[in-house]
Amino acid sequence: MSKIWIIFALTMKVSFCVEKFWLPNLEWERVENWVEKRLPEMDTRVIFPIQMRHAAGMSQSFNLRLSGIDLARSGSLILPRNGNLQLSEAGKSTRKTSEWLRSGHLFWADPQNWNGSSIAAPHLEQVPCRQDDIVLPEKKRTFSVFLPMKYIEVKSIRTSGEKHPLAAWQWADLENRREFAKGIFTVKYADYSCEKCSCQDDPNGYYLEEICAIQRPKCGFIPCEYPLWVEGHCCHYCGARLSLTNKASLSIVRAAADETLEGYGKRFAWHVRRTWSGAAEVLIKEKGAYSGIDMLKIVDDLKRALTSMKIEVLSADTTGAALEDSRLTVTLVPLFVTPMVILMLLFLSCFYFGYSHRHVLSGCREVFSSIRDGIRPDKSQPGKPFSFARFENLSEGNVQIANVVVESETKAEGSKIEVEDPFSGGRFENPLYRTKRRRNEESEVLNMEAPLSLTTLRDKVEDEIVEVDLDINE
């Protein structure tokens, strides 16, 4: 009898329906709604996204002076009933700006916009189900939502400032309100309460696909070794699952799970649901990053508790060990391994066609040296900024390297004579380059002590004029 009373008390404790709260807060005064958490100050320019597509509102009545407002193409700015908004003159405005952070619609079908369900629940059951009580923001707060594309049902709807839910006709009267950004009013009251019914009547999966279109881009890396497929979940599920029979009562299973797993509440979350076939199951998931630690122990404890209460457990599944995110490695490995494989195939093909390893190494050395040295510069290909030229003494050539003339002193007379040094490499004479220093060294200076004639002076002046003309032409 004591066990029966405990089970009855726990059943009464969890038999009430789940309340799900609308989370987005669109108030002007909330710093999280502004870029860099910068609230607009006096004489600040406010910029809203071009495609805001929702409402932003001032819930408080206060005097505000701005230098300008850049409004969105779609969306709305709701002013307080007794507020006062002023625009300052252009000469007194400052360069301070504040930008609204949010953009796009706020979807009813987005699980991140709702609170009240366990994180272990699949995405379809994190949004309002037909058995749930919906709590919307109070009347003085700004509210904006994009309703689902398909008709759905909920048990009741109320505002956070009211204790009693709206009647069905009161909710229907809100169809034309600006808060609901959708042409068709698709949220209806359920006609009856059913414990064994699914979350929503969605036989074709249209509503689930609308949820998954929002949720799939957020799935990310699969952190477990053997992920599960869970009905109504858009991503791979990492955690544990206990499958029960269709005779199990959800209320009793919830009570048993809460009592057994109470000590793991800080690290794990659990959810009891009815499958699409009518059977019951328990989903368990870690609140933080998946590690897989203690998962088997939790499953065994819950399985023993349910078995002791004469509840048949058909199967218990876990998702194995945790995995590290190796997507970067998987992406980079082909970039480095593929060139190495290609080079190896080229070497093997060279050996196959009869080339020795010396030929292959010499060919590779020539390739690397050509890459290192570059290409000769021309108009079409880039290369080195300079190169070297070599001049040789040829009998048929016009460029010669002059022999160096040295002075030699005779023993007999003690006089000096000029002879050519056969062992000297000579002095390099480049006809493409003429230096002024060389011309000045070779220029003959007039001997003022010798007799000077007008003819000699005229020839000297003409030679200097010719050299100056050559320098100008160069």
Side-chain angles (χ1 to χ4, degrees), residues 150-351:
K150 182 186 178 299
Y151 283 101
I152 65 168
E153 295 179 344
V154 296
K155 182 180 179 182
S156 67
I157 299 175
R158 69 177 179 90
T159 59
S160 59
E162 301 291 337
K163 295 182 180 180
H164 302 286
L166 298 173
W169 64 269
Q170 291 176 324
W171 172 247
D173 288 343
L174 301 178
E175 180 176 0
N176 297 324
R177 295 284 295 269
R178 293 179 178 269
E179 289 85 351
F180 305 100
K182 182 70 178 65
I184 304 175
F185 205 65
T186 54
V187 179
K188 304 292 182 180
Y189 273 29
D191 296 332
Y192 56 93
S193 179
C194 178
E195 183 185 1
K196 292 189 176 182
C197 295
S198 59
C199 177
Q200 293 291 345
D201 185 14
D202 186 32
N204 297 322
Y206 294 146
Y207 186 50
L208 177 60
E209 183 59 32
E210 183 178 354
I211 297 172
C212 291
I214 301 173
Q215 196 62 35
R216 280 196 193 101
K218 307 174 186 177
C219 290
F221 171 72
I222 304 174
C224 57
E225 189 175 6
Y226 306 107
L228 301 174
W229 180 83
V230 176
E231 294 174 342
H233 201 65
C234 304
C235 308
H236 290 88
Y237 195 92
C238 291
R241 176 174 58 191
L242 278 77
S243 299
L244 313 177
T245 62
N246 55 0
K247 298 179 180 180
S249 172
L250 293 186
S251 300
I252 297 177
V253 174
R254 285 197 194 100
D258 292 343
E259 186 70 17
T260 306
L261 306 179
E262 184 178 3
Y264 301 97
K266 293 183 179 179
R267 293 178 49 202
F268 294 90
W270 52 91
H271 176 70
V272 181
R273 63 181 296 268
R274 184 74 62 181
T275 63
W276 296 346
S277 62
E281 68 177 8
V282 182
L283 299 175
I284 304 173
K285 190 174 184 180
E286 292 187 57
K287 291 184 177 180
Y290 178 82
S291 63
I293 301 175
D294 294 334
M295 187 66 70
L296 290 175
K297 184 177 183 302
I298 291 175
V299 171
D300 292 338
D301 292 345
L302 183 57
K303 184 177 180 180
R304 285 197 299 267
L306 294 175
T307 304
S308 65
M309 299 174 65
K310 305 302 181 181
I311 299 176
E312 184 180 359
V313 179
L314 299 179
S315 63
D317 302 319
T318 58
T319 54
L323 299 179
E324 296 183 358
D325 191 353
S326 59
R327 288 176 294 179
L328 181 60
T329 304
V330 173
T331 305
L332 294 179
V333 165
L335 297 178
F336 294 98
V337 174
T338 302
M340 299 298 295
V341 173
I342 294 175
L343 290 176
M344 185 63 67
L345 293 176
L346 289 176
F347 289 152
L348 293 177
S349 62
C350 291
F351 295 148

Side-chain angles (χ1 to χ4, degrees), residues 42-44 62-69 83-89:
M42 282 294 181
D43 296 329
T44 301
F62 57 92
N63 296 329
L64 183 62
R65 187 180 67 191
L66 303 175
S67 63
I69 301 178
N84 186 10
L85 180 61
Q86 298 179 358
L87 295 179
S88 61
E89 298 180 4

Side-chain angles (χ1 to χ4, degrees), residues 442-455:
E442 293 178 357
S443 61
E444 182 180 0
V445 182
L446 292 175
N447 188 2
M448 302 304 296
E449 295 179 357
L452 182 62
S453 63
L454 293 176
T455 304

Side-chain angles (χ1 to χ4, degrees), residues 142-153:
T142 304
F143 173 68
S144 180
V145 60
F146 191 87
L147 296 178
M149 304 296 293
K150 182 186 178 299
Y151 283 101
I152 65 168
E153 295 179 344

Side-chain angles (χ1 to χ4, degrees), residues 371-417:
I371 296 174
R372 180 190 60 190
D373 297 338
I375 307 172
R376 289 186 178 182
D378 55 52
K379 294 182 180 180
S380 60
Q381 296 178 343
K384 289 186 176 182
F386 61 89
S387 58
F388 294 96
R390 183 175 66 184
F391 294 90
E392 299 182 16
N393 278 329
L394 301 175
S395 59
E396 66 275 8
N398 296 326
V399 179
Q400 297 289 328
I401 297 178
N403 293 326
V404 177
V405 179
V406 297
E407 294 182 353
S408 177
E409 184 177 352
T410 59
K411 295 181 179 180
E413 301 178 357
S415 60
K416 296 181 179 180
I417 60 175

